[in-house]
Structures are given as C-alpha cells and as structure tokens.
Amino acid sequence: FMSYPLRCVHVAIGIYILSLSRDFRDNYYGGRSRLSSYYGGDLRLDQTGSLASVSREALYFWPHYKEFAREVRDLFTSSRPGRVIVSLDISSYFDSLEVSHLLKRLYRYNKNSENRNHNFDIDTVSLISEFYDWISGGDGGIPQTDNNVVSSFIGDLYMKIADLYADNVLRKNEYVEDY
C-alpha cells in the first residue's frame, strides 16, 4: 500500500528519471543493434519533452513478451552463427531492484550535459535512493501497486542497463575467442 502523497512523489521521480534517461534510451542503448529487450513500461517523451501518447503496448508486458517470443523463434530457425540468446525469469524482480545501482549506472552512461541539464549528481542519486529505501523499510526494491506505470518503466530501464552489462561481457568473450 502506498498513500496518495507518496505515490505522487513516486510518479514525480519516475517522470524525472524518464526525462533524464531519454538520450540514454534513444541514442546510447537504442543505437546498439545487438541488443533486444522486451518489457512493459516503455514510456517515451515526444520532441517537446511531453509524455508521448501512451498505448497499451507500451505499458504492459504481454505485447512485449509476444514480440520477444517471435524474435527468439526467428533466431532459432534462422542460420545466424554466433548468436547468444539469454532468457531470464527473475523471481521477485521489483523487490530486488536497487534504485541506487540503477541511478549510478545511469549517471555513468548519460552525457555530462544531460546530467547537468537535469541537476543530476551524486546528491540527487542519494536523495532518490533514500526515498526508495525508506518506502521499502530498508529492504530495497521499488513500489508495486496496481497499474503502476512508473515501476514498470523503472524495471524496463533497469533491464536495459543489465543488457549493456551482458553485451559488454559477451563482447569481451568474443574478442578472446577470436584472438
């Protein structure tokens, strides 16, 4: 359960992270054709910085899961040597997310100008992290309430950062094998 005022703070933080991560999602992550991530909560901002039209497909996991299943089927039936497919089912996913970890990685991947434009620094990371630690009673994770678009978005962003980590590990292994 989350009170209405706390939910408002959670949504405000989510909109802030949405704006802050825009360049990362659209250019840094989006520019890597090797990566495919499917999860509900794929919110977007339009060119003016306003929330773009929100569709069912962008919010819920099921349309993303169907697209993921189709792509995996295509990968298995095509002859693309050297493909690596990783499928994970993480139990208690939202309960295990560390917001501080996400924000620190976002700070690292973001352009300095984006961080400055959003007044995003180590103090901001600390304040947001402390809010979620307080909400969870120190157990970590992010709030889960009915129709919680912000938590879905944060979960999606967390997976995109995990994708980058996995991609870097795979690239290093490919380099060693090719050597």
Side-chain angles (χ1 to χ4, degrees), residues 5-6 18 47 50 76 80 85 124 129 131-132 146 174 179:
L6 286 179
L18 176 63
Q47 295 301 336
S50 299
F76 276 118
R80 296 183 197 171
I85 301 170
T124 310
S129 299
F131 171 76
Y132 285 108
D146 289 341
E174 284 179 8
Y179 183 72

Side-chain angles (χ1 to χ4, degrees), residues 13-14 16-26 29 37 39-44 93-94 97 99 101-103 105-107 109-110 120 142 149-164:
I13 290 171
Y16 172 74
I17 294 172
L18 176 63
S19 178
L20 174 69
S21 65
R22 180 181 184 178
D23 185 67
F24 163 77
R25 287 179 296 110
D26 293 347
Y29 178 85
S37 179
Y39 193 81
D42 189 20
L43 299 177
R44 298 288 173 169
Y93 178 66
F94 289 100
L97 296 181
V99 174
H101 180 78
L102 169 71
L103 295 174
R105 293 300 179 269
L106 189 57
Y107 182 81
Y109 288 128
N110 258 0
F120 187 58
I142 56 175
V149 175
V150 170
S151 292
S152 292
F153 163 71
I154 292 173
D156 179 64
L157 184 59
Y158 206 93
M159 285 307 299
K160 287 182 179 1
I161 289 176
D163 285 345
L164 289 174

